[in-house]
Amino acid sequence: MKTIGLIDEKIIKNNLINLKNIVFEVTEKCNLKCKYCGLSEQLYQKYDVRKSRDLPFKKAQLMIDYLLNLWKENYITDTNLPLIMGFYGGEPLLNMSLVKKIIDYVERSDITGRQIYYAMTTNAVLLDKYIDFLAEKKFYLTVSLDGDETAQSYRIDRSGNNSYNQVIRNVKLLQQTYPEYFNEQRVNFISVLHNRNDVEPVLDFFKTHFNKTPKISPIAPFGISEDKKKEFRKIYQNLSQSLIKSTNCEAIEDKYFLEMPKGYQLSQFLYHTSGNIYYNYNQLLMQKFGNNKILTGTCTPFAKKLFVAADGKILPCERIDHDFEVGYVHDDFVELDYKHVAERQNYYLSKSADQCICCATNTFCPQCVYHIDDIRKKSSHCPNFCTPEIFDKEKEQNFIYLRKHPHYYEKVLNEISFTL
């Protein structure tokens, strides 16, 4: 009999001991007013109001000290685990004084057993002011840019002006000033797909200007305000919808296989059905899913990252609403009860248990429970619920596609590196 894969406080502690990524929301402020911003109320129903706060340095210091003490207590000799320290907003370049202060504190601390890397997602409006520092520290820099001037037209400043000219000028300045750093994998782009751009011209734009391939993502389809759903539908399109309009659809899917929906779909399909693809050697030596557990697409808290919001709330991720916090950084201590974190996660997982048990994809679910619109209600409905009939049809479609394109099987085996 299948059961929901619940967790306990031991798993939470172990995740923190082996934490891969910590992200600080250094400010809630932003110098742009993007139409589709997930942190605004232009399209989305927000359960936690943004108040243009900055993260106090003391709270960042307390969180760092908490983790350093935990790591020292559980240090294994000669280990040197990588840790990415990310800076988020709002627009993080609006509070670079805090970013610099945090980095200085970390680099003066005893970080035995950890190799620290820095990361930031930015709209690049202020990039020209901090190019030297970002390049010196070799930041993993992700620039939000939707393509050409028309594609960028939803990303406007507070006066309603398109941010394109300012952003492209600053990014080219970085490219010209630090070409080696820019051409490494440390500088990348993310583009939001909407009704004013399309996959093919976006790919062409970044290839022409920067010789890079952006990550292209649709506007988040969950949490839309009821009175904004019509407006949302006008500007929304996903990658598949956009690719259909291209006369070079198949060529694009082949060239950018790893970035396209079909490549992701096939890789996941083969991983979950072939029985011979594994994330790592531990999984190879043990049962792939273990004990017949139902796994949702919800990350176990802190297995991937820990997020500290500007007001001190601790969350497992920056992509969920802040009323799902699991801890808090107070003015003089960190409140993080591992048992509470586990129980809160189990509570939300259990709300969809009846559906999960009957779902045909319940051992490789793509759905994060915190992105289910009615998860706060007494009962909730999963939008990714899949019947056996639907799953069998999707399986057959994938097999047909692979028979027509057998080289894709080789691509999955040889080119895709799964990461937990």
Side-chain angles (χ1 to χ4, degrees), residues 178-226:
Y178 294 100
E180 186 175 342
Y181 165 68
F182 186 90
N183 291 328
E184 291 177 357
Q185 291 302 313
R186 292 178 184 269
V187 178
N188 292 289
F189 296 89
I190 183 167
S191 299
V192 175
L193 191 64
H194 45 71
N195 65 333
R196 295 180 183 175
N197 63 2
D198 276 299
V199 170
E200 185 173 9
V202 168
L203 291 171
D204 289 344
F205 173 87
F206 284 97
K207 181 69 175 177
T208 300
H209 285 274
F210 306 116
N211 196 30
K212 288 182 180 282
T213 302
K215 178 182 179 181
I216 304 176
S217 300
I219 303 168
F222 49 85
I224 309 298
S225 298
E226 194 62 38

Side-chain angles (χ1 to χ4, degrees), residues 78-316:
D78 296 329
T79 57
N80 198 30
L81 302 177
L83 176 78
I84 297 176
M85 182 168 288
F87 302 98
Y88 192 76
E91 169 49 45
L93 292 180
L94 286 170
N95 198 4
M96 273 300 287
S97 59
L98 176 60
V99 173
K100 291 179 178 180
K101 200 170 182 180
I102 291 172
I103 290 175
D104 178 67
Y105 182 75
V106 168
E107 294 182 348
R108 287 189 292 105
S109 300
D110 179 6
I111 53 173
T112 301
R114 287 295 188 283
Q115 178 65 49
I116 308 293
Y117 302 92
Y118 304 116
M120 179 183 290
T121 300
T122 175
N123 61 33
V125 171
L126 298 174
L127 184 61
D128 56 322
K129 298 180 183 295
Y130 305 108
I131 283 176
D132 295 339
F133 181 80
L134 296 170
E136 175 195 345
K137 297 298 181 182
K138 293 189 176 296
F139 265 70
Y140 285 95
L141 197 66
T142 301
V143 176
S144 299
L145 177 61
D146 293 350
D148 62 19
E149 190 165 4
T150 300
Q152 186 77 351
S153 58
Y154 281 129
R155 300 183 62 81
I156 58 174
D157 63 22
R158 295 288 166 174
S159 299
N161 301 310
N162 190 327
S163 62
Y164 175 79
N165 289 331
Q166 201 168 1
V167 172
I168 199 73
R169 182 176 64 248
N170 287 345
V171 175
K172 285 188 174 292
L173 178 62
L174 175 61
Q175 183 183 31
Q176 293 160 8
T177 308
Y178 294 100
E180 186 175 342
Y181 165 68
F182 186 90
N183 291 328
E184 291 177 357
Q185 291 302 313
R186 292 178 184 269
V187 178
N188 292 289
F189 296 89
I190 183 167
S191 299
V192 175
L193 191 64
H194 45 71
N195 65 333
R196 295 180 183 175
N197 63 2
D198 276 299
V199 170
E200 185 173 9
V202 168
L203 291 171
D204 289 344
F205 173 87
F206 284 97
K207 181 69 175 177
T208 300
H209 285 274
F210 306 116
N211 196 30
K212 288 182 180 282
T213 302
K215 178 182 179 181
I216 304 176
S217 300
I219 303 168
F222 49 85
I224 309 298
S225 298
E226 194 62 38
D227 61 338
K228 300 294 178 65
K229 288 188 175 180
K230 185 177 180 180
E231 187 177 357
F232 168 80
R233 286 191 289 269
K234 285 182 180 178
I235 67 175
Y236 176 85
Q237 68 169 329
N238 60 37
L239 274 74
S240 297
Q241 290 168 335
S242 179
L243 279 169
I244 288 172
K245 295 183 282 184
S246 173
T247 56
N248 301 311
C249 178
E250 192 161 321
I252 293 170
E253 287 189 324
D254 188 73
K255 183 177 180 180
Y256 299 98
F257 182 72
L258 303 183
E259 289 82 20
M260 293 298 109
K262 182 57 71 175
Y264 177 80
Q265 179 184 338
L266 287 175
S267 65
Q268 290 296 304
F269 170 70
L270 289 171
Y271 169 66
H272 291 296
T273 60
S274 69
N276 61 1
I277 300 175
Y278 300 87
Y279 279 117
N280 51 45
Y281 287 111
N282 286 338
Q283 195 182 75
L284 174 64
L285 297 172
M286 297 183 291
Q287 289 185 21
K288 196 169 187 179
F289 301 113
N291 300 323
N292 213 22
K293 296 292 185 184
I294 292 172
L295 307 175
T296 78
T298 312
C299 302
T300 303
F302 315 131
K304 289 187 176 180
K305 67 179 68 172
L306 181 150
F307 178 68
V308 181
D311 60 357
K313 289 181 178 179
I314 298 173
L315 296 103

Side-chain angles (χ1 to χ4, degrees), residues 313-332:
K313 289 181 178 179
I314 298 173
L315 296 103
C317 176
E318 75 280 4
R319 298 184 62 216
I320 62 178
D321 275 331
H322 288 196
D323 61 326
F324 292 121
E325 84 279 358
V326 294
Y328 197 80
V329 184
H330 297 273
D331 293 335
D332 52 358

Side-chain angles (χ1 to χ4, degrees), residues 22-28 53-68 85 87 95 98 101-102 105-106 306-314 325 327-336:
I22 179 171
V23 181
F24 291 106
E25 183 183 39
V26 293
T27 184
E28 294 177 339
R53 292 165 289 202
D54 290 334
L55 175 69
F57 170 70
K58 180 64 176 176
K59 293 196 175 192
Q61 181 184 25
L62 283 167
M63 190 73 250
I64 292 168
D65 289 345
Y66 177 93
L67 291 170
L68 289 177
M85 182 168 288
F87 302 98
N95 198 4
L98 176 60
K101 200 170 182 180
I102 291 172
Y105 182 75
V106 168
L306 181 150
F307 178 68
V308 181
D311 60 357
K313 289 181 178 179
I314 298 173
E325 84 279 358
Y328 197 80
V329 184
H330 297 273
D331 293 335
D332 52 358
F333 74 100
V334 173
E335 179 186 353
L336 191 55

